[in-house]
Amino acid sequence: MSEVPAYGLWGLVIINSLVFIIFAFSFTKPRNPRDWRSFGAFSAFIVALFTEMYGFPLTIYLLSGWLQTRYPGLNFFSHDAGHLWGTLLGWKGDPHWNPIHILSSVLIFGGLFYLGNAWEVLYKAQRSHTLAVAGPYAKIRHPQYMSFIVIMLGFLMQWPTIVTLLMFPVLVTMYVRLAHREEGDALAEFGETYASYAAVTPAFFPWGRRYTQKKLRTHE
């Protein structure tokens, strides 16, 4: 692994954070306090992630004593060592080519691609005041939130930190609750059309459980 420290690069922290936050904003377009809280939490996740990736490695610092005991002689303040899953598993070589990092990249860019496709369908449906049921929405009811969850999971696989690991379940809970509230809004606007769609289309996973009309009515 590289012995060259790779932190204190605050310019990279700012640039990478802005790229993902602006990208997310272009798809979510928060409209009310609830939306802004969810978007703010995702933005905080991104900033915390890149702060530790390029700025200050808080997780490495906090675990340095235990890590040095278990892996003596390894420079944990090198960038390569920050890929903790590979380090903990004892994998050698460039961490960007280990199986976990490759899978994380697939999840991140796959999530971004899926989010883009979902946004295009949703944008057209909103402009025509119709229900979004094509593309990703034909498979699941909330592809936009599922995309964000997959992207965050990919980042956690690529660069786990204590802060982002704690934030992840909180964000997932926020997105699930937001999705449930939007179920009620959609039912109020589209009525039986949405109820019929939800009855045959799972919420987050193609193999997931469908909603019955009774359950949907609890969101009214």
Side-chain angles (χ1 to χ4, degrees):
M1 288 189 179
S2 171
E3 296 297 323
V4 180
Y7 297 102
L9 305 174
W10 297 104
L12 285 178
V13 174
I14 294 171
I15 292 172
N16 281 280
S17 296
L18 286 176
V19 167
F20 280 93
I21 290 172
I22 292 172
F23 188 84
F25 181 83
S26 68
F27 291 117
T28 57
K29 292 184 171 59
R31 293 167 293 179
N32 54 52
R34 182 181 66 203
D35 294 345
W36 279 106
R37 284 194 297 271
S38 297
F39 177 74
F42 177 79
S43 298
F45 177 94
I46 293 297
V47 171
L49 171 77
F50 286 115
T51 295
E52 292 212 38
M53 190 178 292
Y54 297 113
F56 179 76
L58 177 64
T59 298
I60 297 295
Y61 179 79
L62 294 175
L63 298 178
S64 59
W66 177 78
L67 290 170
Q68 290 289 1
T69 300
R70 186 166 181 176
Y71 305 94
L74 187 61
N75 178 16
F76 287 97
F77 291 94
S78 67
H79 186 79
D80 285 357
H83 296 268
L84 277 178
W85 298 126
T87 298
L88 295 176
L89 291 171
W91 289 345
K92 305 297 183 181
D94 188 343
H96 297 89
W97 295 103
N98 69 43
I100 291 179
H101 194 283
I102 292 173
L103 178 58
S104 74
S105 296
V106 171
L107 291 176
I108 293 168
F109 291 103
L112 291 171
F113 178 78
Y114 201 60
L115 180 62
N117 285 343
W119 179 84
E120 183 178 3
V121 173
L122 182 61
Y123 177 73
K124 290 179 179 178
Q126 289 175 339
R127 292 200 64 178
S128 61
H129 302 287
T130 58
L131 186 63
V133 295
Y137 287 89
K139 301 294 184 181
I140 56 177
R141 299 197 303 278
H142 304 289
Q144 72 280 27
Y145 297 132
M146 193 64 227
S147 297
F148 280 122
I149 292 171
V150 168
I151 292 168
M152 291 188 297
L153 181 61
F155 275 125
L156 287 178
M157 293 178 64
Q158 187 173 123
W159 199 277
T161 74
I162 292 174
V163 175
T164 53
L165 283 169
L166 292 174
M167 291 178 70
F168 180 71
V170 176
L171 277 164
V172 171
T173 300
M174 290 181 68
Y175 285 133
V176 170
R177 288 180 176 176
L178 183 58
H180 287 170
R181 292 190 183 102
E182 291 183 355
E183 297 275 357
D185 295 339
L187 186 63
E189 182 176 357
F190 298 104
E192 290 301 316
T193 300
Y194 186 79
S196 298
Y197 162 72
V200 297
T201 309
F204 294 100
F205 303 98
W207 57 86
R209 185 173 57 184
R210 279 72 170 169
Y211 264 23
T212 64
Q213 292 193 19
K214 180 180 179 181
K215 288 179 179 178
L216 280 170
R217 289 193 179 97
T218 63
H219 297 303
E220 291 185 294

